[in-house]
Amino acid sequence: MRDGVFAARKGLPAVAVLTEEFRVQGEFIAKAVGMPGVPRVIIEHPCAGTGSANLERVARELAPRLIAALQEGHS
Amino acid sequence: MGAALKSPLRQSASEEQALEEFHARGWTDGLPVVIPTPERVERMLLAGGLDADLVLGEVGPSYAAASIEKVAVNAVMAGCLPDYFPVVIAAVRAVCEETFDLGVVQSTTHALAPVIIVNGPARAACGIASGWGALGPGHRANASIGRALRLVMTNIGGAQPGVTDMAVLGQPGKFTCCLGEAEELSPYAPLHVSRGLAAEQSAVTVVGVESPHSVIASPDGDDPEGPERIVRVIAGAIANAGSNSTYGGRGTTLVALNPNHARMVARRYATREALQQRLHELAVTPKSLLAQWAGASGRQVKNPASDEVVHAIAAPEKVVIVVAGGEGIYSAVFNTWGGGQHHVLPATREIALNEFCELPADRQAAKTKG
């Protein structure tokens, strides 16, 4: 979330990607660093170490949600 | 008393009831705290001698302002005597240095905690232990100063386990972790002097690291290679399979040498800088060995068949050496994380010992043993 805010502050289109276990922490960080509305997409947990086939599935499902979040953030 | 304080005043029928409310609201570390009554907080404020509104820094991950008053409330809760408050103030200032990366130190899944190292006259003034069991139980100043910083990080910084503090297991040093340097028994210049302060000043140095890993070394005193054997064992404890820095160190490692080891090591490495340089050289892992572990660490090794080595300490200044503990065969290594924008750089801040206002007459009576 912090990275998403820093990128947005630099004027870059940004969407933070968090796994479900980090949703609450992410909301806290977004508020704490002064950008509670930074676009974010929540994905399943865990992702790390779940194998390339699963990561590919996660990425395929994530891609359209990322694009939608970017479009929403700039509409 | 109490009219000058800005913090909201809460009412409870008894201290027991107040304590239960503190626990219920997540304002403690899980252990009982001293209830911060206005009188107790004001006595702490007098010992700091600074304006209650003065802001020491912003405490991540909430980045809320740490005013002197808010820090005093937490110091009371931790069980600090007023005499300890200047040390707590310096420790809060140190962790709020931008380069300490406190926001991510508090939120990472890794088991980081700040170790507070105290140098100079403040050690004797506050009774901060630097010898036998300095990091263990039984030392009031060590325990309560480290705990005060933790409560500041919880109650001002907003770190709550599993919510904002995502440490997978955490570690006991997240309750409290404070010790003095055994300057009088050390062959080296005091740590704070090596970091730019004068010997007669008092200072805290904070280092963000894991829990201590005991290092055994019992070389023969007649063995001319004895000093080098100790240093090699320490280097081996730094570059181990489970440590983040083994895979390419960017963080700062802490080494606590007991005075006996320190004197032996200093026969070959007469200065901190010489020892830092040697640890940097020795704390390495061949890429061929690293490749066997690297997948588990989430990192890949380039050229795994080469003769190259990976340094667990990226540069000599990336290891802090402190002399502490009793005389014996055990020293300790505190390994590190390596994340954060600045890779959690250690920070040193002076302790302002002479700023306090005179407290009422029982101040001396309340002093801890030396």
Side-chain angles (χ1 to χ4, degrees):
Chain A
M1 189 65 90
R2 195 178 275 107
D3 291 342
V5 170
F6 289 164
R9 285 230 170 92
K10 289 185 175 177
L12 300 170
V15 178
V17 180
L18 301 90
T19 66
E20 180 60 39
E21 290 285 324
F22 289 82
R23 177 199 292 266
V24 177
Q25 186 201 41
E27 302 290 341
F28 183 91
I29 297 291
K31 286 180 193 165
V33 297
M35 199 177 283
V38 67
R40 79 283 315 257
V41 171
I42 310 295
I43 61 174
E44 67 199 46
H45 185 95
C47 283
T50 56
S52 54
N54 187 58
L55 288 176
E56 189 169 325
R57 177 188 62 77
V58 170
R60 285 190 187 285
E61 292 173 8
L62 173 61
R65 297 175 66 202
L66 277 179
I67 293 166
L70 282 167
Q71 288 172 333
E72 190 177 327
H74 288 266
S75 62
Chain B
M1 293 178 81
L5 299 178
K6 301 284 177 60
S7 303
L9 191 63
R10 307 184 75 87
Q11 301 286 345
S12 284
S14 65
E15 291 221 7
E16 289 77 8
Q17 190 180 82
L19 178 59
E20 290 309 312
E21 183 177 347
F22 273 60
H23 282 306
R25 289 179 176 274
W27 291 345
T28 79
D29 52 9
L31 293 168
V33 294
V34 176
I35 300 302
T37 62
E39 293 76 14
R40 291 168 181 162
V41 173
E42 291 198 346
R43 287 176 60 80
M44 195 65 71
L45 287 170
L46 285 171
L50 297 170
D51 190 323
D53 292 335
L54 180 69
V55 172
L56 298 174
E58 294 176 338
V59 188
S62 73
Y63 299 100
S67 69
I68 289 280
E69 179 177 318
K70 294 291 186 191
V71 173
V73 168
N74 286 281
V76 169
M77 290 168 63
C80 287
L81 293 176
D83 286 332
Y84 308 163
F85 194 42
V87 185
V88 176
I89 289 171
V92 172
R93 280 184 160 138
V95 299
C96 288
E97 291 272 359
E98 184 184 357
T99 51
F100 191 75
D101 296 324
L102 184 59
V104 289
V105 165
Q106 293 238 76
S107 358
T108 175
T109 54
H110 191 261
L112 283 175
V115 176
I116 304 169
I117 302 164
V118 183
N119 280 98
R123 293 166 307 137
C126 299
I128 296 168
S130 59
W132 296 97
L135 278 180
H139 307 293
R140 183 177 185 179
N142 301 40
S144 61
I145 290 168
R147 190 186 189 203
L149 178 62
R150 170 54 51 185
L151 291 174
V152 164
M153 289 162 61
T154 298
N155 292 326
I156 304 177
Q160 292 289 341
V163 182
T164 48
D165 172 357
M166 300 303 285
V168 172
L169 276 176
Q171 53 127 323
K174 295 185 88 156
F175 282 91
T176 181
C177 204
C178 172
L179 79 169
E181 181 167 49
E183 295 176 20
E184 295 75 10
L185 300 174
S186 171
Y188 299 125
L191 176 62
H192 68 312
V193 173
S194 76
R195 297 180 60 82
L197 276 73
E200 62 270 21
Q201 289 176 292
S202 292
V204 301
T205 298
V206 292
V207 192
V209 285
E210 299 173 3
S211 51
H213 184 300
S214 181
V215 176
I216 183 171
S218 184
D220 181 347
D222 296 328
D223 179 1
E225 289 304 307
E228 186 71 354
R229 294 188 204 284
I230 296 173
V231 178
R232 285 187 181 278
V233 171
I234 291 169
I238 294 169
N240 72 71
S243 175
N244 292 38
S245 53
T246 299
Y247 301 89
R250 293 182 299 170
T252 300
T253 300
L254 173 63
V255 173
L257 284 176
N258 82 61
N260 185 39
H261 279 171
R263 284 191 298 273
M264 293 183 76
V265 167
R267 290 182 351 216
R268 180 162 298 187
Y269 302 104
T271 64
R272 267 176 210 276
E273 292 74 19
L275 180 53
Q276 287 172 305
Q277 174 66 37
R278 190 58 178 148
L279 285 169
H280 161 68
E281 292 166 358
L282 289 175
V284 294
T285 309
K287 283 191 167 180
S288 55
L289 180 57
L290 209 56
Q292 297 177 29
W293 306 328
S297 74
R299 295 174 172 86
Q300 300 302 318
V301 177
K302 293 177 183 171
N303 307 319
S306 74
D307 294 331
E308 295 173 41
V309 296
V310 173
H311 287 265
I313 300 169
E317 65 271 20
K318 290 283 192 175
V319 56
V320 169
I321 297 160
V322 61
V323 176
E327 301 279 344
I329 60 173
Y330 298 107
S331 287
V333 161
F334 303 66
N335 281 316
T336 186
W337 176 42
Q341 188 179 357
H342 307 91
H343 312 311
V344 192
L345 283 178
T348 298
R349 294 300 295 254
E350 185 183 5
I351 300 166
L353 275 183
N354 300 318
E355 302 291 338
F356 62 83
C357 304
E358 204 53 52
L359 290 175
D362 59 343
R363 180 171 187 267
Q364 290 303 317
K367 268 198 166 185
T368 187
K369 62 184 178 182

